[in-house]
Structures are given as C-alpha cells and as structure tokens.
Amino acid sequence: VDDRVVIGYESGTKIRGTIAADPIPAGTLLIHTPGSLVLAAPDSDQCSQIENGVKELELGTESKWHTYFEFDDSSGSHIPSQWDRSNGPGRAMSELQGLPPDGDTHRHIDWYQGACIKGREMTDLDWKAFSMFLTRAADIGLIPMYDLMNHHNGLINTRLQRDEDGGLLVFALTDIPAGAPIFNTYARSGMESSVDVFNTYGFVEDYPQLWRWNDEKLVELTQTNKDHAYGRYGMGDSDANNHRGDRLQFEPNTPHHEALVITPTLVALLPTKQLAYTLGNAQRSLEEWEQLIAAHHANLRASHATALGVSAMTILNELPTTIEEDKLLILDEKRRLEKEKKVGRIDLNKADAIAAIEYRLAFKKALRL
C-alpha cells in the first residue's frame, strides 16, 4: 500500500474509507493485494466463497484473515436483505410504494439460503460471511484494502488491473489531491443501476445515477395480445423483468426505460452504451456531460422520449405520496427516530423505513426530470 493511502473518514461525514494523505499523481500504484491474501474459493463458485469465509471465521485468531475480519464493519450496515418480513412485507418494504426493487429486496439472502445452505437457519457466522461477500467481494473474492474504497461513479479516481498470480493492482486514474477520498465503483459501465446499488448495499448513490424501470402496462399488453409490436422486436420470448438481460439493446415498444441523471437538472433519456460506459470508468466535467447529452438527445427519436415521459408521469401520478410530501415525511420520521435514540431505544424497522422513503424520493425525482 502506498504510504499516502490512509484509512479515514470522508470530510464532514461518518463514512469510513481510503483517503489520500498527500497529493498522489495519476498512474501511481496505490494498492497491490497479492493472490495469497485474496480470500477466495478454488473454483470461484459463489457458495463456495461464502463457505470458505465461514471456515476462516471459525478458525478465529488462527485464521490468516483474523485481523481483516475484526476490522470489517459489514455487519453494521442494514441492507434491504435484512428488512423485516416476519409477518409478511414489513414497513420498509411497503414504503417502496411498488417502485423497484419492490418484490426483490430479499433476492440475495433467499438465493444464499436456498442455493448454499439448503434452507437451514443462518448462524451468526453464516450472516457475517454472507454480508461480507455481498457488500465487499469482487469477482475474485474478498480483497483486503481494495474493499475499503467507497463507491462514486462521478468522482471515480482509480483503475484496476489483475496480476498474474490472482491478485489485484489499484492505480490512480487521475491526480488525487491531499485529503480527497480514493474511490472505486460498485456499478461499472452501467451494468448495475441505482436500483441495484440500493438493493445490494442499502444506500442511494451520489450523482450520476442510472435509474431503470419497466412499463408493466406494456408487459400486460404483450401477454394478452400476441401480435403486439413488443413481440415483433425480438424480445417477446424474454423475461421482461430480467434486468440482467441485454441491458441496452432496447428497441421501440419494449417495456424498458432508463434515465441517466447527472445533476438534479441534467438527465440523459435512454442513454446509449457509450454514455453509460463512462460510469465507473472515467470522470467527466459538467460541460462535457452537457455536450454529450445534447448530442445524444439530438439523435433520440421523439417517440421514444415521449414513451419514457408518459411512463414516468403515469408512475408518479399513481403513487400515494408526492415528492414534496416525502420530503416532509422524512424530516418527521428522522425527528421521531432521534427522540427514540435519546432515550436508549434503537428501532431498526423505523431506520429501514426512512432509508426506503429516502430511496423512493430519489427515484421520484429522477422520474420527474
């Protein structure tokens, strides 16, 4: 690890991550985690990776990664996979108001319990290993030091390179001034949307944000009318809710919509692969974004933009609360939560509900653009 890379808190926040103690020029090797320190399974199977984590946790102080485990704070996060559903959908789930990831919030933990531990109850070590894997692991496993970098697609200042022995190198993508956070990305090239980031990590990412949703009314038409145009454009046999599909090969009359929000007043409707590729791979100035988006919109069919606008307004008009009402509700809920904290009560369900309301507010703001 370069001596100028330290662990600290982002200015004015309680967010822990990697910080540049002194100026770091572009191209500097910041972190090299050799393959011998990567916690991974030999076959790279996801279940095996988590199982390997459980085995190392069971070793306690005998594990090579004991200090790494002790420093990890994944269990302190409260992600949608943990939202209450003991008596059906809990309050946090209902506060999504049907917006994505409604119905999908427990996808990760359901996969783990079904595919990896065959439905048995999770132990504390199971949960620790699972949460670390979900919120910290890269495709090759758990990578100490690398996984302390926080996410920011707008201020990304690192690039990654695999070495020949299964390790990972992190280089400075840009000049990094003293005191600046050193950022990674959890959603490179637009392959994951802001919906995915929230559903996995439990936070609404800073701008830029990529919002993705489906027009369910259009899906219904394809199910009742086999001659609908949606089926003629080669996607009629696909799963319309499969967001892992060919994400930007969308055609006219398909139910997929995307909006790339750069600032509260600048948005790219139905961004191309080239526009979305910037996310997690490079920084762009506001002026550069404005020029790129203007050129993109000049080539965007008016009918496609209209379809997206109609879908967004339909969703907004059908939701039970407005943006302005949500803003007031968040303030009121936070005041109540602070009062409870002062008397020593910790209400995780209320905290989860606030996170859900903040998320739906961000989604609604994107739809209104």
Side-chain angles (χ1 to χ4, degrees):
V1 179
D2 188 283
D3 290 340
R4 292 164 289 187
V5 177
V6 298
I7 299 168
Y9 291 88
E10 296 179 23
S11 179
T13 75
K14 296 181 180 179
I15 301 174
R16 189 181 73 180
T18 47
I19 308 290
D22 293 300
I24 302 175
T28 301
L29 175 60
L30 303 174
I31 300 169
H32 178 206
T33 304
S36 60
L37 292 181
V38 175
L39 179 53
D43 57 3
S44 297
D45 174 72
Q46 293 178 328
C47 288
S48 298
Q49 287 192 23
I50 302 174
E51 182 182 2
N52 210 25
V54 172
K55 291 178 179 177
E56 290 296 331
L57 285 165
E58 289 174 339
L59 292 175
T61 57
E62 298 300 315
S63 171
K64 179 167 62 174
W65 289 276
H66 174 69
T67 302
Y68 170 67
F69 293 146
E70 290 294 299
F71 194 73
D72 172 68
D73 61 354
S74 300
S75 57
S77 303
H78 219 249
I79 55 180
S81 287
Q82 294 172 277
W83 286 358
D84 178 53
R85 56 172 178 175
S86 55
N87 296 305
R91 185 187 166 194
M93 297 170 71
S94 66
E95 291 293 0
L96 292 175
Q97 297 182 343
L99 291 170
D102 179 62
D104 208 28
T105 52
H106 291 73
R107 172 169 58 92
H108 301 301
I109 199 166
D110 288 343
W111 160 79
Y112 174 63
Q113 289 187 298
C116 301
I117 59 174
K118 311 305 179 186
R120 68 168 171 79
E121 289 295 315
M122 291 174 66
T123 66
D124 289 343
L125 290 186
D126 287 333
W127 173 253
K128 171 86 171 171
F130 165 76
S131 61
M132 288 181 67
F133 172 82
L134 179 63
T135 62
R136 308 190 78 87
D139 56 347
I140 60 174
L142 290 166
I143 309 173
M145 286 306 300
Y146 153 83
D147 62 11
L148 286 172
M149 294 188 293
N150 289 320
H151 166 80
H152 203 302
N153 270 341
L155 301 177
I156 180 76
N157 51 17
T158 59
R159 66 176 179 84
L160 310 179
Q161 180 180 316
R162 296 279 291 273
D163 69 19
E164 297 178 353
D165 299 315
L168 189 73
L169 302 141
V170 180
F171 293 92
L173 179 66
T174 64
D175 292 339
I176 305 174
I182 299 172
F183 286 118
N184 184 27
T185 179
Y186 303 165
R188 193 177 302 278
S189 307
M191 294 307 296
E192 289 82 30
S193 70
S194 296
V195 176
D196 301 312
V197 170
F198 178 76
N199 200 29
T200 300
Y201 305 102
F203 65 86
V204 179
E205 63 180 329
D206 290 333
Y207 297 114
Q209 299 168 344
L210 180 65
W211 296 96
R212 183 179 301 144
W213 70 96
N214 290 331
D215 188 336
E216 294 182 358
K217 289 182 173 56
L218 192 53
V219 175
E220 289 178 16
L221 282 174
T222 69
Q223 294 170 344
T224 57
N225 180 5
K226 299 302 181 183
D227 292 326
H228 191 271
Y230 170 53
R232 298 201 303 272
Y233 281 99
M235 296 186 69
D237 294 328
S238 66
D239 179 1
N241 294 313
N242 181 9
H243 65 280
R244 298 291 180 186
D246 196 6
R247 64 166 290 284
L248 281 176
Q249 297 296 334
F250 303 157
E251 300 288 350
N253 297 311
T254 71
H256 301 278
H257 296 297
E258 283 194 344
L260 175 56
V261 182
I262 307 303
T263 73
T265 58
L266 181 62
V267 59
L269 307 178
L270 301 172
T272 61
K273 283 183 176 180
Q274 185 176 3
L275 270 179
Y277 181 80
T278 300
L279 301 178
N281 290 303
Q283 291 188 18
R284 294 206 185 279
S285 67
L286 180 57
E287 182 180 2
E288 288 173 325
W289 276 119
E290 288 172 340
Q291 293 173 352
L292 288 168
I293 291 172
H296 167 65
H297 285 167
N299 292 306
L300 185 65
R301 288 186 185 180
S303 59
H304 296 179
T306 299
L308 183 146
V310 169
S311 174
M313 290 309 300
T314 299
I315 293 170
L316 283 173
N317 291 335
E318 291 181 350
L319 293 173
T321 58
T322 65
I323 289 174
E324 289 67 29
E325 289 170 337
D326 282 350
K327 289 178 180 178
L328 294 175
L329 181 59
I330 289 170
L331 292 175
D332 184 54
E333 291 289 344
K334 285 186 174 180
R335 280 195 292 265
R336 293 185 182 187
L337 185 62
E338 284 303 313
K339 285 184 180 179
E340 292 182 0
K341 286 182 178 178
K342 288 180 180 179
V343 296
R345 290 203 301 266
I346 300 176
D347 190 341
L348 288 177
N349 289 334
K350 185 181 289 293
D352 291 342
I354 292 171
I357 298 170
E358 290 178 326
Y359 165 80
R360 85 180 184 218
L361 174 61
F363 205 151
K364 289 177 184 180
K365 287 180 177 179
L367 292 172
R368 188 168 66 177
L369 285 172

